[in-house]
Amino acid sequence: MKHFIILNPNAGRGTAGKRRSELERALQQAGETFELVTTHARGGATELTYQAIEQGYTQVIAVGGDGTINEIVNGILGRQTRHGKQAQHSRPSLGIVPLGTGSDFIKVLDGVKPNDLAGAVQRLAQGRTRAVDAAHIRARNPLQTYTRYFINGMTLGLDSQVVVESLKINKLKGRAVYFLAIMRALKNYHAHPMTVRFDGRESYRRLLFANVANGRYQGG
């Protein structure tokens, strides 16, 4: 199997980019064939996934963190809404080399550890897959309605502000990024009125945040 690998060089505050050569050597030593491309703009991994599917790849590998994984998931699942109904057998599987800052999604996968490049290459060589749940949201603004997919979690409110604050922090890594981002968000964010409907019930009140989770961790 030939792997289509999408590497985000900025993931993990630059860790993924620095380990590119190490990853390539490990794949070559394992006897794997692959095409490796990099993404440098937000949304780029989604477009590269579209291209991989058009070229007939059956596996797309995310090298990075939760943001890179999310973009590739939207490339895999979003292609249906972009190109019409897609046959189940033509949908590629998702592989992960977890080199991100938080790497939250992989924490629900047995035996998968952050920054474990050797373990990730071994899993890719074995070629085993498992099914995971996915969810989607529809967001509207005055100009359009659009759909986004996720496999870890979706949040509104304070948690979203934490993500915005974390993107402004360049000198820290790992959990320290999110601790500082939380402090900044708490200082600036105020609860807003939200309506939440679930299981036949409805709640309307001011909320700091609302979260829909498929995984068990967000923000480190």
Side-chain angles (χ1 to χ4, degrees):
M1 178 186 298
K2 186 176 180 181
H3 310 293
F4 189 87
I5 300 175
I6 300 175
L7 183 147
N8 176 3
N10 297 317
R13 309 296 171 181
T15 297
K18 293 175 182 177
R19 299 187 70 180
R20 172 175 178 164
S21 296
E22 181 185 353
L23 172 62
E24 291 175 322
R25 285 195 302 271
L27 287 165
Q28 291 165 356
Q29 290 171 359
E32 298 300 302
T33 56
F34 61 91
E35 179 180 352
L36 191 152
V37 296
T38 59
T39 177
H40 296 281
R42 185 166 297 178
T46 299
E47 291 298 325
L48 289 169
T49 302
Y50 289 148
Q51 296 173 24
I53 295 172
E54 293 292 339
Q55 295 171 33
Y57 283 92
T58 57
Q59 188 176 68
V60 181
I61 313 301
V63 183
D66 295 302
T68 308
I69 293 170
N70 179 261
E71 287 196 6
I72 293 175
V73 165
N74 275 275
I76 293 172
L77 299 178
R79 186 175 182 273
Q80 294 180 353
T81 58
R82 175 169 165 163
H83 295 289
K85 189 65 177 177
Q86 181 184 9
Q88 182 69 30
H89 68 270
S90 66
R91 179 186 295 165
S93 60
L94 167 70
I96 300 172
V97 180
L99 300 180
T101 300
S103 292
D104 289 325
F105 176 67
I106 63 152
K107 295 173 184 176
V108 302
L109 305 177
D110 293 337
V112 182
K113 299 178 181 179
N115 300 310
D116 180 13
L117 193 150
V121 170
Q122 183 180 28
R123 288 191 302 275
L124 295 180
Q126 292 171 345
R128 292 182 296 179
T129 61
R130 56 165 291 182
V132 297
D133 290 326
H136 72 271
I137 63 170
R138 291 190 182 93
R140 299 180 180 89
N141 62 37
L143 299 178
Q144 63 177 332
T145 297
Y146 56 94
T147 300
R148 293 280 296 178
Y149 297 86
F150 63 92
I151 58 174
N152 189 56
M154 186 279 294
T155 187
L156 298 168
L158 177 65
D159 280 9
S160 300
Q161 187 65 35
V162 170
V163 173
V164 171
E165 297 295 341
S166 72
L167 295 175
K168 302 175 184 177
I169 302 169
N170 298 316
K171 296 183 179 180
L172 298 176
K173 293 185 179 182
R175 291 186 177 183
V177 173
Y178 294 105
F179 285 136
L180 179 57
I182 288 169
M183 294 300 102
R184 290 181 177 179
L186 285 170
K187 180 179 179 180
N188 300 318
Y189 186 80
H190 301 285
H192 293 281
M194 296 188 192
T195 300
V196 181
R197 301 183 183 94
F198 62 99
D199 294 341
R201 289 178 284 174
E202 180 175 305
S203 173
Y204 174 79
R205 55 179 172 169
R206 289 186 177 272
L207 297 175
L208 278 175
F209 64 90
N211 184 284
V212 179
N214 186 38
R216 301 190 193 114
Y217 301 87
Q218 276 187 242

